[in-house]
Amino acid sequence: QVHLVESGGGLVQAGGSLRLSCAAPRRPFSSYDMAWYRRAPGREREFIATINWNGRNTRYADSVKGRFTISRDNSKKTLYLQKGRLRTEDTAIYCCHEDVGVGYWGQGTQVTVSA
């Protein structure tokens, strides 16, 4: 069963922006820290950003710091990733994750950045 569902991916021009969403309608969403990861073709999954349960603390990978913003709306049980100044190397499948020891993973949404 799918517990986290990402959306908002697509084809974007380099330098453009995109917002990804991760819906968790059946999860105790506000109890969990959440995170975004990505996996590019032929590469290992890498950490992108994390946000604590109430949204007051965030942390970013160096590769996206200053370009991406993680946020959440606990009333909607939804996690967001606002992505700006996109680069071709940002092309990947983006997945959300419950940032706890046995947290669930989403199936991912594809983002393709064209030159």
Side-chain angles (χ1 to χ4, degrees):
Q1 184 177 343
V2 176
H3 297 281
L4 306 175
V5 181
E6 300 91 341
S7 62
L11 177 63
V12 188
Q13 295 283 110
S17 300
L18 196 67
R19 188 176 76 159
L20 306 184
S21 298
C22 169
R26 296 175 297 280
R27 302 298 294 161
F29 185 75
S30 62
S31 296
Y32 298 143
D33 295 356
M34 298 293 295
W36 285 99
Y37 290 77
R38 70 185 179 190
R39 185 187 292 275
R43 298 184 178 89
E44 294 293 321
R45 182 178 60 216
E46 64 174 330
F47 165 78
I48 298 300
T50 188
I51 186 168
N52 82 318
W53 68 274
N54 62 11
R56 295 175 183 173
N57 296 103
T58 59
R59 181 168 58 87
Y60 298 90
D62 289 342
S63 61
V64 305
K65 189 175 183 179
R67 300 190 297 122
F68 293 6
T69 301
I70 188 171
S71 62
R72 66 193 297 161
D73 186 338
N74 285 348
S75 69
K76 297 181 179 180
K77 292 188 173 183
T78 303
L79 176 73
Y80 302 99
L81 184 67
Q82 181 67 48
K83 305 166 60 177
R85 297 166 54 197
L86 286 164
R87 306 165 181 169
T88 55
E89 56 262 43
D90 293 321
T91 294
I93 296 174
Y94 286 75
C95 298
C96 58
H97 175 59
E98 297 175 345
D99 200 15
V100 296
V102 292
Y104 286 105
W105 290 88
Q107 294 179 320
T109 184
Q110 176 72 48
V111 173
T112 302
V113 183
S114 62

